[in-house]
Amino acid sequence: MVSGAPASSDQAADPLRWRGRRAAAVAWCLYDWANSSYPTVIITFVTATYFARAVAETPEAGTGQWGLMLSLSGVVLAVMAPIFGAIADQGGGRKPWIGFFSLVAIFCAAGLWWIEPDPGFVVPALLLVAVGNTAFEFGHVFYNAMLPEVAPKSHLGRLSGWAGGLGYVGGIACLAACLFLFVLPETPLFGLDKQRAEELRITGPFVGLWFAVFALPLFAVVRESAPPFQTGRAVREGLASLWRTLKLLPEQRQTGRFLLARMLYTDGLNTLFAFGGIYAAGSFGMSFKEILIFGILLNVTAGLGAFAFAWIDDLVGAKFTILFSVAALILLGGAILLVESQLWFYLLGCGIGAFIGPAQTASRSFMARIAPPQLHAEFFGLYALSGKVTAFLGPALVGWVTVWADSQRVGMATILVFFLAGLVLMWSIRDPQRPAP
C-alpha cells in the first residue's frame, strides 16, 4: 500500500486528496518521464537509426538484424513477465524489482558508448540493446501494477493518461537535449568527435543518466508496506499463484479477450515504434537531425493525445478510447505508407503520434479496471505477456518481408494487419465502465 492509505470510504472515493498521496501519484508519473527516454532515443530514433545506417553493413540488413533482436527480447519477456508478476505479489512489493531492472537498463544504455560505426560491433550492439530492452520492459510490468495503488477507479484513466503524457514529454525532452547538446553543434559538448560518431554514441550514456536521475522520486516518495522478501517462498508461491491465475482465465472471458486483442494491436504499436526511425532514414533519406526533429514532433503529438484522451477515458470509457485510437492508426498508417513527400510523412506521422498515446494509456487503465484487486501484479504480468507473447512476430515479420521484397514500405505494411485484428476482437468486449444490458 502506498503511504497515506485511506481511513474511510469517503476518502477512498478520491485518494488524490489524501495528505501525501498526491506526491506519491506525481512521483509515480515521473517514472514514466524517466524511462520513456529509453524507447524514444534507443529503440526508436537514435540508436536504431545509427545501427541500421552506420553499424550494420546495409540498412536492409540492419532492419532484419534489429527485428530479430527485438523478437528474441520479446520471447524472453513473454515467458518471464507473468512469472515475475506472480513472484512480486508474494515476495515483498514491486519497488525492488523496478529498481533492479531499471539499473540493468541504465547500464546497458551506458554501454552503447563503446559501439563504433563498424560491422564488427553488430553483435555487441544487439546484445546490449536486447538485454536493456528486456530489463526496461520487465520494470514496466511492476510499474504498471502499482497504478491501482496510487489512483482510485474514478481516476485510473486520468492518472494513466497523465503518466503516459508525461512520459512522451520526457521522451521529447531527452531527445531534444540529445539534438541540441550533441547532434546539431559543429563542435558537440565535451569536444566529441563526429568522425567517429561520438555525438550519436554519447546518447546511450545520456539516456542512462536521465533514466537514473528522474526515477529517484518513485523510490523516495512512494512507499509500500510489504512482507519481508523470502526468495524461495516467493518463487514457490508465486508460480503456484500464477498457475491458479492462468486457470482462472477461462472464467474471466472478457479479460482473456482483452488480453488477446491487446496482444495484437500492441504488437503493431511496438513494431511501429521500433522501426519508425529506420523507415524514415531508409525510405525518405532523412538525416539524423531530421529524424530527431521528427521524433520530437511525434512525441509532442503523442503526449498531447495521451493528455487529451485521459479525460475521455474516464468519461466515455477506455474501450471507446482504444477502438477510436486503433481505427485512426489503421487509416493514418495506411496513408503514410503511400506518400512520397517528406512533408506528408511529417504530417501523417504526427497524426499517428496523437493516437499512439491514448491506445497505450487507455489499455493500462482498462486492465486496472477489470483485473481482480488481489491479483493486480499477476494480471499485469499477463498484461505484459499479452503485449509481448507475439512481440517476436511483428519485428520478425517486418524484417523478413523487408528483406524478401527489398522494400521497407512493403515490410512496414504488415503492421496494419495487427491493428486490424486487434480492433475486430476489441469490438466484442464488454466495457466494464458501462452497466451490462
Side-chain angles (χ1 to χ4, degrees), residues 256-271 363 382-394 418-419 421-422 425-426:
R257 280 187 183 180
F258 168 64
L259 290 173
L260 182 58
R262 181 182 180 270
M263 177 185 74
L264 294 166
Y265 67 73
T266 298
D267 204 5
L269 285 172
N270 291 337
T271 308
S363 297
L382 295 177
Y383 176 84
L385 172 65
S386 74
K388 293 299 175 183
V389 69
T390 58
F392 68 92
L393 185 57
F418 292 96
F419 286 149
L425 190 57
M426 189 72 197

Side-chain angles (χ1 to χ4, degrees), residues 38-45 47-48 66 70 129 133 273-275:
Y38 191 92
T40 301
V41 177
I42 293 177
I43 300 299
T44 305
F45 293 107
T47 305
W66 194 261
L70 290 177
V129 176
N133 182 60
F273 264 120
F275 288 92

Side-chain angles (χ1 to χ4, degrees), residues 52-96:
R53 293 184 60 175
V55 181
E57 291 186 355
T58 66
E60 289 73 23
T63 300
Q65 291 164 342
W66 194 261
L68 178 61
M69 175 273 297
L70 290 177
S71 297
L72 295 175
S73 172
V75 169
V76 174
L77 182 63
V79 172
M80 296 302 299
I83 297 174
F84 280 134
I87 292 172
D89 270 340
Q90 303 295 328
R94 288 127 190 181
K95 278 169 54 176

